[in-house]
Every structure is written in structure tokens, then in C-alpha cells.
Amino acid sequence: MADQERLVKTLIDLIKIDSPSGEEDAMDREVSSRLEKLGLKVSHDSYNNVIAKLAGQGRPIMLSAHLDTVEPGRGIKPIVDGGVLRSDGSTILGGDCKAGVAIVLEALTAALKTGGGNRARNRAIEVVFTRHEEGGLVGAHHLDFSMVSAKEGIVFDGEGPPNRIILSAPSQNVVTAQITGRAAHAGLEPEKGISALLIAADILGRLPLGRIDEETTANIGRLEGGLKRNIIPEQAFLDGEFRSRSNEKLADVERKFRGVFDEVASRYPEAKIDLDIVNTYRAYQIEADSPAVAVIGRALAEMGLEPILESTGGGSDANVFIEKGITAIPVGIGVRDFHTTWETAVISEVLQGAQMCEGVIRGA
Ligand SMILES: [Zn+2]
């Protein structure tokens, strides 16, 4: 049985290991050694994602979480405060996604230990702990899928309680633009200059931004440019994104964005506008009656919990796994306020996550 004390200790131990994106080696060593001690066969792909297998009954199921955190995520001091875990307020907690990793580790520990030391029957398991999920699902994009045979799975990386099951998520395209005008002295010869900031403003004023419809949004989150008060700004940089749960609408927003940039470029023939639009992840939609949902539903039912089926505005490794043919479903990990310094992990819900995962491993 999943044990709250052991689970919280594991979670605190993991939170204390710094693992901002790109610096996951220490976390990797810790989780790999724990998985090996549990009897899993641990491998790494060329990106050093962790892939660990456990023989068992039936078709394998993938249990996934990610090893990295956002910043500020160094020297985190987790504090148990009533029924929640939080940081001291100077950093994130890192419950995203350490609670997901701890849930999988505790569930394996609980499911594989039975009285008298005999191993209980378990379903075949493939644990996938990715690197660099934050800011682009980089580890998942580099995952060697030839090393994974599961066709369904659970991604322990959602906000809220473990019965929150996320059945659909959007596509995201990232937009960057470098605008080059021409510098000139603003007081002596302004007519010789071309203001890159003015061009950027012209673009911003024409782009479709904000909530476009119930499943589509667009944002330019950063504008940088200019050097000094008395110089016509030569450079400007735009950084933004748009998302939709419909790939057709995503393509439509991309056409509109490109149209605006082309139109503005034609008004400033001497300026240079380098526009880059890159897809970071594709939308998905899982049917509520799919077998992968049923696996989670059965484990929740054993605990007396009803599934809450939802859609999200954010992406996760699940977007990549699903694109690659693995029906991987994100579920809540008991954590609130991801990516903030007031992030908390609700201990009772993290425990429920481990209980649900244990049920899945036991083949509920
Ligand atoms: Zn996460």
C-alpha cells in the first residue's frame, strides 16, 4: 500500500535536488538508482531520457513524468505546512514535476512489495522520465520511441487532483521575428532612419491577438528593441505564440500572422523582417471511452473516486507521445499553481495519485 510518510520523504528528497531544464544529471542518477533497486531494467536513450522496464502481465503501460523544473528552482527549501508542501517563497516548489516522479516511484515501491517478500503480480511497466520538458517538450521530442513498446500510458504532470484527467490539449506554434530597420541620429538626420520599433508596433496593431475563440489564443509576449533615446532604433525583436485545440484553426492563425508580416514588410521595403513560426506540439483529443481512460477509471473506482474529464490550454509530453501513437493521458499530481513561487503540493492528493498509480501497476 502506498505510504504517505515514505512518499513525502521521497518527494522532499527529489525537490532538494536542483534540476532546472538542461541540468537533470543529478535527478537522473537518483531516480535511475531508485528504479534499479526496485528491480527495473534502466536504460537511457541518446538524449539521456530515462526508460525503465519491468516485466509483468499483459500489454505494457507507460508511466511518465519529467525530471526538470522551471526557474527559480535552485536550492529549494520544501516546507510541510499543514497538509501541503510549499517552498519558502523565494523559489518554485518543483512539485511540477517532482510529485509526478514521486508518485510513480512510491506506486512501484508499494505494488512490488508484499508481505513475506513475495513479489505481487503486476502489469508490464515502462517508466519514461523525460528531460527538458519545460519550454518546448525537448526531451520528449528527442525520445527514442523504438525503446518504448507501450501503446497507452499515463503522464503524471497535470495540475489538480489525480482524478482530473486531461482528454484534450492544444497545438502551440512559437512566433519570433527579428526586424532590422536603419539607425540614424534622431535629432540631426531622422529622415535617414527606419524605425524597427515603429514597424514592430505596426505589426502588433494588426495581428489577431488574445482570445480568438473558445479553443484558440494568440499572444506576443515580448518586444525588445532600440538602443538610446536619440537614435532611430535599428533592431526590434518580437517573441510570441498562438495555440488552438483545432489544427485547422491553428493553420488559419498562422496564415493571418504571415499575411500581417507580409503586408507590413511591403510598406517598409528597405527594412528586413525575418519571421519564424515553428510548431512546438500538436493538439490531441482522446475519446472518453478509450481503453487508456478505462485503466485509470478502474484504479480510481477502487478508491471511490470519480474521474473528472477536462481539457487544458497547455501542452505536455502527452502531446508528443500521442502524436507518436501512444495514448498517454495526463492526470493531476496534487500540485497547484505550477511555475510560481506559491506553488503547493497537497499531500493527500499526491498520495491519492500514488494509490491510483499503484492500482494501475497491480492491473486494476
Ligand atoms: Zn510539468
Side-chain angles (χ1 to χ4, degrees):
M1 277 255 295
D3 179 80
Q4 178 168 320
E5 207 174 309
R6 186 173 54 198
L7 171 63
V8 171
K9 184 175 182 314
T10 299
L11 179 52
I12 288 175
D13 287 347
L14 296 179
I15 285 172
K16 285 182 174 169
I17 301 170
D18 292 355
S19 64
S21 304
E23 300 175 33
E24 298 92 348
D25 287 353
M27 257 299 274
D28 180 345
R29 280 193 296 276
E30 178 67 24
V31 300
S32 294
S33 115
R34 285 176 183 252
L35 289 166
E36 264 162 17
K37 279 185 197 140
L38 286 165
L40 282 80
K41 190 178 173 310
V42 179
S43 327
H44 290 81
D45 64 10
S46 61
Y47 195 75
N48 273 334
N49 293 301
V50 177
I51 300 150
K53 299 193 182 188
L54 180 72
Q57 310 204 315
R59 289 169 295 123
I61 187 159
M62 181 175 79
L63 305 175
S64 181
H66 62 86
L67 299 176
D68 62 313
T69 71
V70 295
E71 300 268 20
R74 294 161 201 266
I76 300 171
K77 295 175 198 68
I79 296 164
V80 179
D81 186 359
V84 305
L85 213 56
R86 59 174 175 80
S87 76
D88 65 0
S90 65
T91 63
I92 56 157
L93 174 67
D96 167 21
C97 191
K98 303 283 170 74
V101 176
I103 283 170
V104 173
L105 292 173
E106 175 57 28
L108 285 166
T109 307
L112 301 180
K113 275 188 184 150
T114 53
N118 293 322
R119 174 172 284 188
R121 282 151 51 102
N122 64 271
R123 189 170 171 173
I125 299 295
E126 293 180 344
V127 174
V128 174
F129 289 151
T130 60
R131 291 181 175 230
H132 209 136
E133 187 266 355
E134 305 290 357
L137 316 179
V138 185
H141 280 299
H142 285 87
L143 184 68
D144 183 348
F145 283 90
S146 73
M147 296 171 73
V148 181
S149 56
K151 287 291 163 234
E152 52 201 40
I154 306 172
V155 178
F156 290 90
D157 190 22
E159 290 208 44
N163 55 336
R164 180 169 176 260
I165 298 176
I166 298 157
L167 290 187
S168 76
S171 296
Q172 183 200 46
N173 279 11
V174 166
V175 181
T176 52
Q178 184 69 48
I179 302 162
T180 308
R182 189 162 58 229
H185 192 287
L188 300 178
E189 44 182 16
E191 47 283 296
K192 288 193 175 162
I194 301 170
S195 168
L197 279 177
L198 196 60
I199 297 171
D202 199 352
I203 290 167
L204 275 173
R206 292 162 190 259
L207 286 175
L209 295 174
R211 177 164 296 286
I212 293 168
D213 62 36
E214 71 285 352
E215 57 181 359
T216 312
T217 59
N219 183 47
I220 298 293
R222 198 155 62 95
L223 161 61
E224 280 175 6
L227 277 180
K228 288 177 85 169
R229 179 185 300 153
N230 63 354
I231 300 174
I232 305 274
E234 183 167 59
Q235 298 289 337
F237 177 73
L238 294 172
D239 188 5
E241 54 144 59
F242 49 89
R243 305 175 187 214
S244 181
R245 287 200 288 276
S246 151
N247 284 327
E248 292 78 61
K249 288 176 181 172
L250 192 84
D252 187 50
V253 176
E254 176 165 350
R255 267 192 300 280
K256 286 182 175 137
F257 265 59
R258 290 192 184 280
V260 167
F261 277 87
D262 285 346
E263 185 187 336
V264 173
S266 71
R267 289 156 49 90
Y268 300 90
E270 289 182 87
K272 187 160 160 279
I273 303 178
D274 288 317
L275 170 66
D276 200 21
I277 300 181
V278 178
N279 177 257
T280 41
Y281 47 84
R282 304 293 290 170
Y284 72 80
Q285 190 109 37
I286 296 168
E287 297 304 321
D289 60 359
S290 85
V293 177
V295 169
I296 300 170
R298 279 197 299 276
L300 289 172
E302 281 197 335
M303 302 161 58
L305 289 177
E306 286 283 324
I308 306 164
L309 305 177
E310 285 192 15
S311 52
T312 175
S316 73
D317 283 346
N319 290 64
V320 180
F321 297 153
I322 290 166
E323 198 183 344
K324 296 289 182 183
I326 302 170
T327 308
I329 303 181
V331 298
I333 54 175
V335 176
R336 301 287 189 285
D337 300 310
F338 278 21
H339 303 186
T340 69
T341 53
W342 56 93
E343 178 188 6
T344 54
V346 180
I347 290 167
S348 61
E349 290 183 356
V350 183
L351 178 64
Q352 285 178 328
Q355 289 165 338
M356 183 269 273
C357 188
E358 182 185 349
V360 169
I361 296 167
R362 288 187 190 280

